[in-house]
Amino acid sequence: MFFQKEAKSFDIDMGNIPSHIAIIMDGNGRWAKKRALPRKAGHKAGAEALEKIISDCRELGVKHLTVYAFSTENWKRSKEEVDAIMDLLRQYLKNYFKRFLQDDVRMKVIGDIRRLDKDIQESILEIEELSKEKNGLCVHIALNYGGRDELRRAICKLAEQAAQGTLRASDITEEVISAHLDTAGVPDPELVIRTSGEERISNFLLWQIAYAEFFFTDTLWPDFDRTSLEEAIYYYQNRERRFGGR
Ligand code: IPE
Ligand code: IPE
Ligand code: MG
């Protein structure tokens, strides 16, 4: 499933670009360790890689890009590392804020932002509001996101409606569940990429990935570039998607 490292370009079909790509951006810490740098330097390099990938996705005509930036489990890390990630996020939101007005990129956050610092929450809401009319690429940033937590929150909303008598158990279809997730209205990802050689989901988009294709690469997230992205898309285009049929 891995392609030769020396391969430099991939002949991708521009007529068959996945409309939604989701990425588990992993390996920042190992990237820093290899260079004897602090972990936060890896996160900074990771944020820079993301900026480039956003432009690349835009150029390739991807409609939705969902990136796993901070999981509900990542709070278990040292306070120093969590603070460094949050500071980067602050900076990123500020810079993004300046730039996004010039391009056609929309930004949304998935996850429970109530646990984030107030100023970060405010920046997120502001950017979501100001970019909501943009209709190019939509970037969904998963922050304090966990697939199980997202389902739990959706179930709570449904249970409240049932308790109020506005929802019957038989009304709970798959569509109703999808509509109560953070990704409501967004098509499921066709392609999920995970960097850094780990081959697990780590609580990402559990409901939405039912029929996604997976691309795992040893490349560490800060090194993931346009060629890596095209490699993943090439891999996707050469898969046969069956959806349970023959
Ligand atoms: C991914 O890189 C970024 C976050 C989870 C915030 P890691 O920090 O997990 O990097 P490794 O896995 O330790 O190399
Ligand atoms: C998944 O990476 C979460 C993000 C990329 C934000 P982790 O590094 O936290 O996942 P595990 O611990 O290897 O499963
Ligand atoms: Mg990791």
Side-chain angles (χ1 to χ4, degrees):
M1 82 196 280
F2 294 106
F3 287 85
Q4 304 248 313
K5 275 271 175 275
E6 59 269 22
K8 282 276 180 293
S9 71
F10 295 89
D11 190 16
I12 56 173
D13 172 3
M14 292 300 287
N16 181 24
I17 299 291
S19 66
H20 185 173
I21 298 179
I23 309 182
I24 302 175
M25 308 183 291
D26 198 11
N28 294 349
R30 277 163 283 171
W31 184 93
K33 193 169 179 207
K34 260 173 59 182
R35 289 162 180 75
L37 293 168
R39 291 182 66 84
K40 74 172 184 198
H43 295 309
K44 183 161 186 290
E48 285 159 11
L50 174 60
E51 281 194 47
K52 294 204 197 89
I53 290 299
I54 290 174
S55 302
D56 295 333
C57 282
R58 215 178 125 232
E59 283 172 24
L60 289 168
V62 175
K63 284 285 167 213
H64 297 274
L65 170 68
T66 302
V67 290
Y68 207 3
F70 195 86
S71 75
T72 46
E73 287 72 36
N74 286 146
W75 297 106
K76 289 186 221 158
R77 298 190 180 194
S78 70
K79 182 176 181 322
E80 189 193 354
E81 182 170 357
V82 171
D83 286 350
I85 293 171
M86 292 301 156
D87 277 344
L88 259 172
L89 177 62
R90 246 185 211 101
Q91 240 173 286
Y92 189 80
L93 287 168
K94 233 185 279 163
N95 294 337
Y96 187 86
F97 192 48
K98 275 188 236 138
R99 241 177 338 125
F100 83 90
L101 287 168
Q102 297 151 28
D103 52 37
D104 213 20
V105 178
R106 179 171 183 188
M107 201 207 83
K108 282 167 121 181
V109 167
I110 59 168
D112 190 350
I113 67 168
R114 292 171 298 184
R115 191 166 167 188
L116 305 175
D117 286 348
K118 262 262 143 12
D119 66 309
I120 294 182
Q121 291 185 40
E122 282 162 12
S123 297
I124 290 169
L125 296 177
E126 201 171 0
I127 294 175
E128 284 184 337
E129 177 62 26
L130 277 159
S131 69
K132 74 176 184 206
E133 307 290 341
K134 307 279 177 181
N135 49 23
L137 171 69
C138 184
V139 181
H140 307 260
I141 304 186
L143 287 173
N144 188 31
Y145 175 87
R148 288 187 172 183
D149 183 62
E150 179 190 39
L151 281 163
R152 181 193 63 77
R153 286 184 284 108
I155 291 164
C156 287
K157 287 180 224 161
L158 295 172
E160 270 166 24
Q161 293 171 32
Q164 284 163 6
T166 56
L167 182 81
R168 288 171 303 175
S170 58
D171 292 334
I172 305 174
T173 58
E174 291 187 7
E175 288 71 28
V176 167
I177 294 173
S178 293
H180 286 78
L181 297 175
D182 298 344
T183 52
V186 180
D188 290 342
E190 294 105 324
L191 172 64
V192 177
I193 299 169
R194 183 167 188 152
T195 58
S196 88
E198 310 298 345
E199 300 191 357
R200 55 177 170 262
I201 290 303
S202 301
N203 204 8
F204 191 44
L205 301 178
L206 298 179
W207 175 270
Q208 298 88 339
I209 58 174
Y211 268 104
E213 297 293 335
F214 288 86
F215 178 77
F216 297 107
T217 172
D218 286 339
T219 303
L220 301 173
W221 173 251
D223 295 326
F224 191 89
D225 61 9
R226 171 76 171 243
T227 305
S228 321
L229 178 67
E230 290 183 0
E231 178 182 7
I233 293 173
Y234 181 81
Y235 166 84
Y236 163 82
Q237 291 179 342
N238 286 282
R239 301 286 309 160
E240 186 196 345
R241 305 187 78 203
R242 296 205 190 98
F243 303 101
R246 287 192 58 202

